Amino acid sequence: MKEKLEAIKTSALAKLEAATDLDVLNEIKVEYLGKKGELTSVLKSMKEVLPEDRPKVGQMVNDVRNVIEEKLEEVRNSFAAKLREEKMKAEVIDVTLPARKPDIGHRHPNSIALDEMERFFVGMGYEIVEGPEVEYDYYNFEALNIPANHPAKDEQDTFYINGDILLRTQTSPCQVRVMESTKPPIRVIAPGRVFRSDEVDGTHSPCFHQVEGLVIDKNITFADLKGTLAEFAKELFGEDTKVKFRPHHFPFTEPSAEMDVTCFKCGGKGCRFCKGSGWIEILGCGMVHPKVLKMSGIDPDEYTGFAFGVGLERIALLKYEIDDMRLLYENDTRFLKQF
Ligand code: DAH
């Protein structure tokens, strides 16, 4: 009996040692420890053993069972460890690989130029205000001293919603809204989108942006306007920039002017960029017309003020030497990333 048990033990251990996967392990388990297994059959043959020897043999069977179970467990654990190791190897992360950069786009030249303007004027104590893009005829024209028969009101220039309501053609209506609701002193800039019934080409778009400026206080003169806008031009185009005011006409200012800056490409000598003149026009401005002040409830005998209007695209195009306005609206990141 003893030899038989030894033989079972030896062969079981050898098979376990040679096992290569969990299925084989299970087969071995059934073969030796199962109900119809080798050890069970030994127990069944106990009746052939002398009664006084039975406890000893029983003990021997149990010992062999324990040895086989231990080995089984050991081999099973080694399989699990091997499996885990293989999985780790397969899923290894190479921390030295370069990371994939998220594409976060780029700020638009309009936004960069506007930020710069806002920073300048906020630094001078101006407030930034906004007005509606869908505006009343009254604010866009009437209250700015643009009467009913003015050519600017023509349907060829203006998108009308109905007789009284339109898409604003300028940011100047913001002036009226601010004057109606605020007591001077007033110092504001009003950036925003404006609309005109224009065909798209290299210098025109039916939708573009302006930045309006308005200052109202006691004793504001044309000298304040000139000083402010000359500083503004230096901020935008560099310390050496000079400015020139040419008489012009706007219905809401008197006197009115257009401001030119010395060409920042040639410094004023004349080049292809400034079409040989040495000067580049950048904005419209003037002293707020007394009629406009009065219509918005401000006494023109007590207060005076100046206003100006800048085309944002115009500044962005000039600053970054972009020669076609359409590029600003295509939002091609290959273009935008250059600024
Ligand atoms: N609103 C004018 C335009 O669209 C620009 C302008 C000119 C605004 C003179 C002003 C100004 O405030 O004083 O052409």
Side-chain angles (χ1 to χ4, degrees), residues 210-252:
Q210 290 186 335
V211 182
E212 191 77 13
L214 176 72
V215 174
I216 311 268
D217 203 349
K218 290 178 177 157
N219 304 318
I220 296 289
T221 70
F222 205 92
D224 297 307
L225 178 158
K226 283 178 81 172
T228 303
L229 295 180
E231 276 309 305
F232 175 51
K234 282 183 188 173
E235 174 76 17
L236 281 184
F237 299 110
E239 265 308 300
D240 299 331
T241 309
K242 293 191 180 53
V243 295
K244 177 170 88 173
F245 292 86
R246 278 181 292 100
H248 199 78
H249 170 76
F250 296 106
F252 34 91

Side-chain angles (χ1 to χ4, degrees), residues 169-170 172 175 196 210 212-213 250 252-253 284-286 307-309:
T169 61
Q170 47 186 356
S172 304
Q175 291 185 20
R196 288 189 199 172
Q210 290 186 335
E212 191 77 13
F250 296 106
F252 34 91
T253 44
C285 57
F308 55 90

Side-chain angles (χ1 to χ4, degrees), residues 84-240:
R84 223 178 303 130
E85 199 177 313
E86 271 166 17
K87 210 171 154 203
M88 296 261 270
K89 268 195 198 137
E91 290 175 1
V92 78
I93 296 166
D94 183 352
V95 292
T96 66
L97 276 177
R100 219 172 288 159
K101 271 202 205 129
D103 196 359
I104 53 168
H106 195 274
R107 284 207 312 157
H108 194 278
N110 275 357
S111 304
I112 304 173
L114 180 58
D115 270 4
E116 204 172 302
M117 288 190 215
E118 289 184 343
R119 230 176 299 131
F120 172 78
F121 283 108
V122 166
M124 302 240 292
Y126 288 59
E127 213 180 308
I128 299 168
V129 297
E130 278 182 4
E133 290 170 8
V134 179
E135 184 57 283
Y136 288 106
D137 178 287
Y138 175 78
Y139 287 102
N140 195 78
F141 292 128
E142 213 69 32
L144 288 164
N145 198 28
I146 302 170
N149 60 356
H150 196 282
K153 293 189 70 170
D154 197 289
E155 278 180 37
Q156 287 184 356
D157 291 309
T158 304
F159 292 114
Y160 283 93
I161 307 284
N162 61 34
D164 298 325
I165 300 174
L166 43 79
L167 298 185
R168 65 179 179 188
T169 61
Q170 47 186 356
T171 43
S172 304
C174 296
Q175 291 185 20
V176 181
R177 290 183 172 273
V178 171
M179 285 190 285
E180 278 185 351
S181 62
T182 324
K183 242 182 85 65
I186 293 170
R187 264 196 240 119
V188 294
I189 57 165
R193 202 176 279 146
V194 301
F195 306 86
R196 288 189 199 172
S197 172
D198 278 330
E199 292 290 334
V200 176
D201 66 25
T203 52
H204 292 86
S205 161
C207 167
F208 57 103
H209 300 78
Q210 290 186 335
V211 182
E212 191 77 13
L214 176 72
V215 174
I216 311 268
D217 203 349
K218 290 178 177 157
N219 304 318
I220 296 289
T221 70
F222 205 92
D224 297 307
L225 178 158
K226 283 178 81 172
T228 303
L229 295 180
E231 276 309 305
F232 175 51
K234 282 183 188 173
E235 174 76 17
L236 281 184
F237 299 110
E239 265 308 300
D240 299 331

